[in-house]
Amino acid sequence: MKNSILKYKNMGRVPFCILRKFVSFAVPLFALLFTLNSCSDMLETDNESMVSNPELNAKTDSVFYALGIAQAMQQVADQYFYIGELRGELVTVDEANTDKNLKELANYSASLDNAYDSSYVFYKVINNCNYYLAHRDSTLKTGSTNVAIDEYIAVAAWRAWAYLQLARIYCGNADGLTIPFYTEPLTSISQIEAKAADPACQKNLSQIVETLAPELEMLLSRYPNTRVPDFNEPIHPIGTTNWGESKAIDMSKIFVPVQVILGDMYLETAQYQKAAEKYADYLCRYGVMPEERFSFRMKDDITFPEDYSLDFNDMTDNYSFSFANNSNPKDVVSYIPMAVSSLNGKTSTVPLAFGYDYYSINQSSDCPRADNIQIQPSKAFYELTDSADYYYYPTSYNGQSVNTSYPTNVKRYKAGDGRASITSLNSDPDLAILYRNPSDVTKTYVSKVKNANVYLYRTSTIYLHLAEALNAMEYTDAAFAILKNGISTYLENLVRKPTLDSEGKIVLNVDGTPRIEPYKYMSQKSVDMLGTTLPFLNAQYREIFNANDVYGIHAHGSCTYNRKENELAQSAKGSRATALGSQMNTHYLPDVIIGEKMKEIAGKYGVSVGTSKADSVAAMLDLLCDEYAKEFAFEGRRFYDLQRIARHFNEMGIWGGNFGSLWFVEKLSGNRPQKDLRDPRNWYLPFK
C-alpha cells in the first residue's frame, strides 16, 4: 500500500487508503522488537514509513504522519477524559458498578497500578511528533504553495497539547514535581532511560511553557495565516455502528489550532495578556463567534410562576446539538473521534461508563442504553445547576399584553440552568443533556458522551478562557460581558455614562448624582481595550463583531433573550437585541452577581471579602468556575480547570494566601479524597 500512496503526488483529495489508516489500526508499529512494556509503547509510531522513509521528504508524507499521530491521540482519549472528569466534583461513581480504577481516580487514591495512570500514552504522541518535527522537510512547495507547513505547525501544536496535559496531570508547578521533557525523537529504551535519569530533562509546567512557546510563536509569526489541515477531505465517513448509525468526522477538527494551545499555555502560567491576545487572534482572524446554543428546563422538571410566558421564551433547545452525531458538530473546534467498532479502529469505554452501549451488537434506532451506569451527575452538580437563576419575560406588564409592545422588565426565578435539563420517555431524549427513565429515576444517562467523541475545545471554551484572562487583567466587566452579551460593537452602547436630556444636560437623580441607566455596566477603558490591545472592535474586525448574531455564554442555560420574532420586530438581532432585552434585566449585572458571589465565598470559607479590585477579580474567577461547570460538565475537563484556578488563587495570595488550596479541598469534599488536598502535590497523580 505504501507505494500506491507515494505515487499520489497532486495533493488533491486524500486517497481513502490513507484516511483508512486513521480509523483502522492495521498499520504495523515501529519495527523495534522490544518486549511489551510501557517503554516500548512509547517508541511506537503508528507509521511504517518512519522506518522505510525516515527523511519525510515526499510531498504526500505529511498526510501519512499527521494521521499516524492522530491514531496516537485516539489512544490518549479515554485516559484524558477519565482523569479530567473523575478528579472533579461534577460526577459520582457507583460503589457496586464502577470499575475500581475509576473509583480510585475519583477519591484521589490512585497509585502507580491504576490502569489510567500511564504517562506513556502521552509520550507516544510526543515521540511521534518529535520524529515528524525532526525529519519533516517543512519547505516543500507546489509552485509557490508550501504543502507541508500547515501540517508541520499542527504537529507542533499537538506536541504542546500533550505536554500541557502531562503537566496538568502530574506536576503543575507544585514543589518538587516535574516530568521528563525532551524534543528529539527517541528510538531505543536506553535513550528513554537516559532521559529519565537526567535532571536537566526534568521540567515543571512553567518550564515546559517557557521552552515550547517561543517555537510556536516563531512559527505563527512566520506563517500567520496557517490553518489546521483538512487534507482536501473535510468531511469523511468512518463507518457504521453495529446497531446501524453512520458516523463521519470533520478532518480539520482532529487538530488543535496553534493560537488556542498557545493561549492555554499562557493561561496556565498566569501570562494573562499573552493568553488573551492568542485567543483573540484566533477568534478574530477566523471570525469565530458563539452560536445560538440555548436550552431551557423541561416543563416536567420545573413549574414556572403564573406570569411566565413561552411567547417570549420559546426557543429551540439546541445546546445539545453541539454533541449530536453529525459530521460537523456545531461549536466544536477540536475533538478526538473514536471508531464505530473494534474492527474499524480504536474504541472508547467512555459511553458505556455513562450508560450508553455504543458498541452494542443489538439493533436499535438509537444508541442502546446499559443498565449498569458507572458514572452519573453528582450532588454538587445538581446543587449548582438547580440553584441557578432563569431569566424570563412576564406575560403582562403595566396591564397590557406582551404581544402589543416590547416588555419593560425581566424577572428571575430559581428554575435552574437549562444545560442540566433532564428529560424522560415523555419527551425527545435528544433534546436534553441528561436522560432519566421514569421507571428507574436512580439512573441518569449523560448524552454528551454517547457518540464516542472526546471534545478538547469548543468555541465556548475559547471565549470562557478569554474571559478568565481578561478578568485577571482586571477587565472584570469585559469578562462578564462574555457571559452576558458576548463581544460585539453593541458593548460600546453599554458604557456607563451620565444620561443627557434633550438639551444635552446631565440628568440628575434625586440625591443629585448623575443618572446612569441601570443596564449599563461597561467601562470606557474596557471597550477601548477591545479595540486596541485586542482587535475585536477595531476597524479591521468590527464588521465581523457588529452585534448581529453574537450571544453571551450564560444564556446557554439561563434564557436571558427575547423571542427572535420580537427581536426582528424591533429591527434588532443577536447581541443588539440581547442588550436591548437586558436593559430590563437589572438582575444579571456584574455588581449584582459578583456581589452575590462575594457573600457566598465569605460564608462558605469564613474569609474576609472586601471591595477591592483584587476581591472582585477573585470572586469573578470563582463565578467563571461555576460557568465552566455548567457549560463543560461531562466533557472530561473539570479537573484541569480546577487545578489551574486553585493554583492561581494561591498565586494571588488572596484571602489568607492559601485560599486556593482550601477552595480545592472544599470543591472535592464530596469525592471523599484519600489524600490531604491542602498540599498541592497531592492534587496530581503519581508519575508512571
Side-chain angles (χ1 to χ4, degrees):
M1 184 174 70
K2 168 183 169 293
N3 290 335
S4 64
I5 295 174
L6 290 178
K7 290 178 182 177
Y8 194 84
K9 295 291 187 181
N10 64 11
M11 289 302 292
R13 246 179 169 14
V14 178
F16 178 77
C17 55
I18 298 180
L19 290 167
R20 182 70 177 176
K21 292 165 75 70
F22 173 54
V23 297
S24 172
F25 285 78
V27 181
L29 302 177
F30 205 104
L32 295 172
L33 301 179
F34 297 120
T35 57
L36 292 177
N37 56 43
S38 56
C39 288
S40 64
D41 291 344
M42 181 174 157
L43 296 168
E44 295 176 349
T45 68
D46 289 326
N47 263 295
E48 59 196 40
S49 298
M50 287 189 182
V51 176
S52 59
N53 185 24
E55 294 308 313
L56 285 79
N57 53 15
K59 293 178 182 179
T60 52
D61 281 339
S62 58
V63 180
F64 280 100
Y65 290 81
L67 294 179
I69 299 168
Q71 290 180 326
M73 287 286 287
Q74 286 181 312
Q75 296 176 57
V76 165
D78 279 16
Q79 182 164 314
Y80 163 84
F81 182 96
Y82 285 135
I83 292 172
E85 200 61 48
L86 286 163
R87 291 170 74 80
E89 85 283 22
L90 304 179
V91 295
T92 187
V93 296
D94 183 274
E95 285 301 317
N97 295 324
T98 305
D99 176 84
K100 76 176 188 68
N101 294 288
L102 301 180
K103 287 190 286 189
E104 290 171 357
L105 289 178
N107 66 20
Y108 283 71
S109 67
S111 67
L112 294 174
D113 295 328
N114 191 279
Y116 296 104
D117 182 3
S118 174
S119 65
Y120 287 99
V121 291
F122 291 96
Y123 279 113
K124 181 179 176 182
V125 173
I126 290 166
N127 207 36
N128 274 260
C129 292
N130 285 346
Y131 194 98
Y132 178 102
L133 296 171
H135 292 86
R136 180 58 171 156
D137 183 352
S138 62
T139 66
L140 293 173
K141 293 183 178 181
T142 296
S144 61
T145 301
N146 188 315
V147 298
I149 196 61
D150 283 351
E151 288 88 349
Y152 187 92
I153 294 174
V155 169
W158 259 337
R159 180 175 68 180
W161 180 87
Y163 266 126
L164 185 59
Q165 307 324 307
L166 283 170
R168 286 167 165 169
I169 293 168
Y170 291 110
C171 63
N173 285 329
D175 290 343
L177 298 184
T178 58
I179 59 170
F181 178 87
Y182 60 96
T183 55
E184 70 274 21
L186 305 183
T187 57
S188 70
I189 290 180
S190 61
Q191 283 182 291
I192 297 173
E193 292 173 342
K195 291 291 183 183
D198 184 357
C201 294
Q202 303 294 314
K203 294 186 185 295
N204 64 11
L205 171 62
S206 291
Q207 291 165 336
I208 289 170
V209 172
E210 184 180 0
T211 303
L212 290 181
E215 179 187 5
L216 294 178
E217 289 280 19
M218 180 272 294
L219 289 169
L220 190 56
S221 175
R222 186 174 297 175
Y223 306 99
N225 295 318
T226 183
R227 286 180 175 268
V228 293
D230 65 9
F231 306 119
N232 295 314
E233 183 84 14
I235 305 302
H236 185 77
I238 62 170
T240 303
T241 63
N242 294 321
W243 45 274
E245 182 175 74
S246 298
K247 184 173 182 177
I249 61 175
D250 184 333
M251 296 300 291
S252 68
K253 292 182 178 180
I254 67 175
F255 298 98
V256 177
V258 64
Q259 298 96 331
V260 174
I261 191 61
L262 268 169
D264 267 15
M265 293 167 77
Y266 291 138
L267 185 65
E268 288 282 350
T269 52
Q271 300 179 72
Y272 297 115
Q273 181 166 328
K274 286 185 176 181
E277 289 171 349
K278 293 307 168 193
Y279 295 135
D281 181 33
Y282 173 79
L283 296 169
C284 290
R285 187 181 299 275
Y286 303 116
V288 181
M289 294 170 286
E291 299 184 28
E292 294 181 76
R293 301 283 100 191
F294 305 144
S295 55
F296 56 91
R297 283 298 176 105
M298 300 296 179
K299 285 186 175 181
D300 57 357
D301 292 331
I302 191 68
T303 301
F304 279 92
E306 291 182 2
D307 64 355
Y308 173 79
S309 171
L310 276 179
D311 288 340
F312 280 91
N313 291 274
D314 192 11
M315 61 179 68
T316 302
D317 186 47
N318 60 8
Y319 172 73
S320 59
F321 292 173
S322 296
F323 314 99
N325 176 36
N326 57 57
S327 58
N328 184 20
K330 298 297 184 183
D331 196 56
V332 174
V333 173
S334 178
Y335 68 158
I336 305 175
M338 307 303 286
V340 294
S341 71
S342 58
L343 295 177
N344 286 73
K346 178 65 176 174
T347 60
S348 170
T349 64
V350 170
L352 187 61
F354 282 85
Y356 286 97
D357 192 359
Y358 187 76
Y359 301 105
S360 171
I361 61 174
N362 295 325
Q363 293 296 311
S364 171
S365 60
D366 195 8
C367 185
R369 296 184 183 91
D371 290 330
N372 296 328
I373 305 177
Q374 299 186 62
I375 306 172
Q376 296 194 81
S378 69
K379 179 181 177 182
F381 172 78
Y382 287 127
E383 287 178 347
L384 176 64
T385 56
D386 290 350
S387 64
D389 288 319
Y390 192 91
Y391 300 96
Y392 70 98
Y393 293 94
T395 56
S396 64
Y397 63 95
N398 296 332
Q400 299 178 22
S401 168
V402 293
N403 293 321
T404 61
S405 61
Y406 206 86
T408 58
N409 70 307
V410 171
K411 291 190 176 183
R412 66 174 174 175
Y413 182 62
K414 286 253 183 273
D417 192 277
R419 288 165 288 191
S421 179
I422 299 175
T423 190
S424 67
L425 288 177
N426 299 321
S427 304
D428 185 349
D430 289 331
L431 292 183
I433 293 301
L434 305 179
Y435 169 82
R436 185 174 291 165
N437 190 325
S439 64
D440 187 356
V441 296
T442 65
K443 295 178 180 178
T444 300
Y445 299 80
V446 178
S447 65
K448 278 188 178 182
V449 304
K450 74 176 183 179
N451 293 309
N453 293 325
V454 173
Y455 303 97
L456 304 183
Y457 292 98
R458 296 194 284 116
T459 299
S460 298
T461 322
I462 300 170
Y463 271 101
L464 286 177
H465 280 190
L466 172 61
E468 186 178 332
L470 290 174
N471 178 57
M473 294 165 63
E474 299 190 350
Y475 293 106
T476 301
D477 55 343
F480 194 87
I482 290 175
L483 302 184
K484 182 176 173 64
N485 294 103
I487 295 179
S488 78
T489 54
Y490 198 81
L491 294 180
E492 297 168 341
N493 296 53
L494 298 180
V495 174
R496 292 178 59 84
K497 295 179 180 178
T499 303
L500 303 179
D501 62 17
S502 60
E503 298 178 355
K505 296 180 181 179
I506 295 176
V507 178
L508 301 179
N509 295 314
V510 175
D511 62 2
T513 58
R515 179 182 300 175
I516 298 175
E517 296 296 337
Y519 61 88
K520 294 187 176 182
Y521 64 94
M522 292 294 296
S523 68
Q524 188 64 54
K525 178 183 177 183
S526 291
V527 170
D528 290 344
M529 176 273 300
L530 292 172
T532 53
T533 304
L534 304 184
F536 291 98
L537 308 184
N538 71 14
Q540 183 177 1
Y541 296 112
R542 65 184 292 110
E543 182 58 31
I544 296 174
F545 298 92
N546 66 353
N548 291 326
D549 299 317
V550 181
Y551 303 90
I553 302 296
H554 190 65
H556 290 184
S558 72
C559 188
T560 60
Y561 294 92
N562 192 9
R563 187 175 176 179
K564 192 153 194 173
E565 288 82 350
N566 290 276
E567 294 174 2
L568 296 175
Q570 297 294 320
S571 299
K573 293 175 60 181
S575 183
R576 187 183 303 279
T578 303
L580 192 62
S582 298
Q583 291 179 14
M584 287 71 74
N585 186 355
T586 56
H587 309 289
Y588 192 68
L589 289 167
D591 289 348
V592 176
I593 303 302
I594 294 175
E596 291 174 354
K597 174 59 73 173
M598 287 178 169
K599 292 178 182 178
E600 176 191 320
I601 291 170
K604 182 180 290 187
Y605 300 98
V607 297
S608 178
V609 180
T611 58
S612 70
K613 190 66 175 178
D615 290 296
S616 295
V617 168
M620 183 65 194
L621 179 56
D622 197 29
L623 185 68
L624 286 169
C625 186
D626 290 346
E627 198 69 35
Y628 288 152
K630 298 168 189 174
E631 182 71 17
F632 304 127
F634 323 125
E635 294 180 42
R637 60 175 304 112
R638 185 57 172 172
F639 168 74
Y640 308 123
D641 288 331
L642 290 180
Q643 61 86 33
R644 179 184 68 256
I645 292 171
R647 183 158 33 81
H648 287 169
F649 274 137
N650 281 343
E651 291 167 356
M652 291 171 67
I654 194 80
W655 302 326
N658 68 334
F659 175 76
S661 295
L662 300 178
W663 178 88
F664 194 80
V665 167
E666 194 280 332
K667 285 288 185 186
L668 275 301
S669 59
N671 294 42
R672 297 189 293 277
Q674 302 300 298
K675 292 183 178 180
D676 182 2
L677 299 183
R678 291 173 297 180
D679 183 349
R681 291 174 296 183
N682 290 331
W683 301 352
Y684 303 101
L685 285 175
F687 183 80
K688 179 177 72 173

